Amino acid sequence: MKHVDEYRDGALARGVARRIAEEAQPGRHYRLMEFCGGHTHAISRYGVEDLLPENIRMIHGPGCPVCVLPMGRIDDAIRLAARPEVTLCTYADLMRVPASGATSLMKAKADGADIRMVYSTLDAIAIAEKEPDREIVFFAIGFETTTPPTALAIRLAQKKRLRNFSIFCNHVLTPAAMQAILEAKEGVEIEGFVGPAHVSTVIGMSPYRRFATDYHKPVVIAGFEPLDVIQAVLMLVRQINDGRSEIENQYRRAVTETGNNKAIDEMAEIFELRESFEWRGLGEIPRSALRLREPYAQFDAERRFCVVTLPARDNPACECGAILRGAKRPQDCKLFGTACTPETPMGSCMVSSEGSCAAHWAYGRFRQIERRKAS
């Protein structure tokens, strides 16, 4: 990829880190949450935290749609896939997320359910065309980034007059989760946010304005490269030092004020807000998720198959909920690295490619060992 090395230049990163150390006020603690799982992995992979002074703490947020999906929705998908007429299409990172009864989509597939991994919504459409006698259900999941492709699939299914295609909709909204974090009684104090990158290319900067005006929290939208993140930290430190609460755009090469208007209009045409939706670790959040509008009800798997989500409880020893709220770190979980590993995941944060526990397992734990040796 052309120019990518420019955003991974170690000398430049160390220079920005020196400026952060110079400007971070002694005796003051800066608690900054990177909302997106992509940022969490960049911070862990490139050792961004190691460049920051001790009074700046990066708090991992819930910006991983697989991680925040409650266990009950995985149970729903498994019950859908168990129906003899249904083929469930899903992305690979959902296959190993733990469900109730120590099961998962992977185990359900091994037991005979017709569950197929796909790379896009168009793959599911193609299967529906090739197999008209099967009920093809696409497990739709993600933030605002992946919602437009699902809308496109609905449009295409309607155009092709596919009667055997539907979606199990689990699309959720970023600003609602950020608000829930700020209002959580058992959360952690946050001085500012590193705002999501890909989500913001769709929704733009405007939806974050209320965090500055109503909650007095600065937000800096940042790209996923290490220099993007560390520059965003410097911008947040300067805002906090100045007593400012503004929305700034570090990721100007991709994010605009208004976002992708065509994608926004398409989402608004096909989807509507749910009154409430459960998030793992955050509980029920009002108006935080989407469902299909009535004109597209024929493509809604929940309506077509009368899906009723049953109560489900996570493993009581798993700390995914607290980690997603920013109240704990992966290494604070007693299961981390023992009972819970990528091979034997006990929670979604270890399964997803964007999960905080997966990031710490892949990168952070090694630096932890080196720091202990050095001390």
Side-chain angles (χ1 to χ4, degrees):
M1 180 178 177
K2 192 176 181 181
H3 304 315
V4 72
D5 289 345
E6 298 176 11
Y7 299 99
R8 299 177 182 176
D9 188 308
L12 285 175
R14 287 188 289 274
V16 177
R18 284 193 293 270
R19 292 166 70 179
I20 292 173
E22 292 168 359
E23 298 187 31
Q25 298 174 358
R28 183 170 197 167
H29 294 281
Y30 301 80
R31 302 176 187 87
L32 311 177
M33 174 175 278
E34 83 276 1
F35 180 90
C36 186
H39 288 139
T40 298
H41 275 256
I43 289 168
S44 293
R45 179 181 179 183
Y46 295 100
V48 172
E49 284 182 296
D50 295 342
L51 297 175
L52 301 177
E54 291 185 0
N55 61 335
I56 295 180
R57 179 189 168 193
M58 300 305 298
I59 301 168
H60 309 320
C64 163
V66 173
C67 298
V68 298
L69 191 69
M71 185 177 287
R73 299 294 282 185
I74 301 292
D75 291 344
D76 291 340
I78 291 173
R79 285 192 289 269
L80 274 171
R83 299 176 68 105
E85 74 275 21
V86 168
T87 294
L88 183 75
C89 296
T90 180
Y91 296 132
D93 54 359
L94 278 168
M95 292 294 290
R96 298 173 62 243
V97 177
S100 299
T103 188
S104 65
L105 288 168
M106 184 72 79
K107 292 179 180 178
K109 179 178 176 65
D111 289 338
D114 189 356
I115 301 174
R116 307 183 198 181
M117 290 178 283
V118 296
Y119 289 102
S120 73
T121 55
L122 298 183
D123 291 343
I125 290 287
I127 293 172
E129 287 186 285
K130 291 178 182 178
E131 303 181 31
D133 295 332
R134 299 289 297 167
E135 286 285 348
I136 309 303
V137 178
F138 176 70
F139 196 152
I141 184 173
F143 294 114
E144 294 90 341
T145 314
T146 56
T147 307
T150 303
L152 173 63
I154 298 298
R155 288 284 197 199
L156 194 57
Q158 186 181 51
K159 181 179 179 180
K160 292 176 177 290
R161 299 182 180 179
L162 294 177
R163 299 181 181 274
N164 64 327
F165 177 81
S166 59
I167 68 164
F168 178 48
C169 188
N170 294 274
H171 286 299
V172 291
L173 305 177
T174 302
M178 294 172 67
Q179 181 176 341
I181 289 167
L182 291 174
E183 295 179 352
K185 295 180 181 179
E186 300 178 359
V188 63
E189 184 64 27
I190 297 169
E191 274 76 48
F193 287 98
V194 177
H198 290 162
V199 164
S200 301
T201 64
V202 176
I203 67 174
M205 299 171 61
S206 302
Y208 306 112
R209 296 290 176 195
R210 69 174 185 268
F211 300 115
T213 57
D214 298 348
Y215 296 90
H216 306 292
K217 303 295 182 184
V219 178
V220 175
I221 299 165
F224 283 129
E225 296 301 329
L227 274 172
D228 291 325
V229 177
I230 202 165
Q231 184 182 9
V233 171
L234 176 60
M235 294 166 74
L236 284 168
V237 166
R238 287 174 172 171
Q239 281 208 52
I240 293 168
N241 288 348
D242 295 343
R244 294 182 289 120
S245 298
E246 300 174 4
I247 311 304
E248 292 186 306
N249 184 10
Q250 183 277 334
Y251 198 31
R252 287 179 293 176
R253 63 187 185 274
V255 173
T256 64
E257 174 70 29
T258 58
N260 187 326
N261 291 322
K262 185 173 182 179
I264 292 170
D265 291 343
E266 194 71 8
M267 289 190 292
E269 166 66 24
I270 290 176
F271 297 100
E272 64 184 3
L273 286 171
R274 295 178 188 260
E275 286 301 313
S276 183
F277 192 78
E278 182 186 356
W279 293 55
R280 188 190 299 262
L282 299 176
E284 291 282 339
I285 303 180
R287 304 175 71 79
S288 64
L290 301 174
R291 60 174 289 176
L292 288 173
R293 291 185 179 276
E294 188 62 36
Y296 305 96
Q298 61 179 312
F299 300 110
D300 189 342
E302 289 183 72
R303 296 173 184 172
R304 182 178 293 197
F305 299 104
C306 301
V307 173
V308 177
T309 303
L310 303 176
R313 294 186 63 186
D314 292 323
N315 186 318
C318 177
E319 298 284 7
C320 271
I323 292 168
L324 290 166
R325 293 193 302 274
K328 291 188 176 182
R329 300 170 298 174
Q331 57 267 42
D332 295 330
C333 180
K334 295 179 181 178
L335 300 182
F336 180 87
T338 54
C340 185
T341 69
E343 289 72 32
T344 59
M346 303 297 290
S348 57
C349 296
M350 184 63 86
V351 177
S352 173
S353 59
E354 294 187 352
S356 299
C357 294
H360 189 66
W361 175 270
Y363 310 109
R365 62 191 173 114
F366 299 109
R367 290 200 308 280
Q368 226 177 350
I369 293 170
E370 291 301 317
R371 283 196 292 268
R372 283 200 293 266
K373 287 180 180 178
S375 61

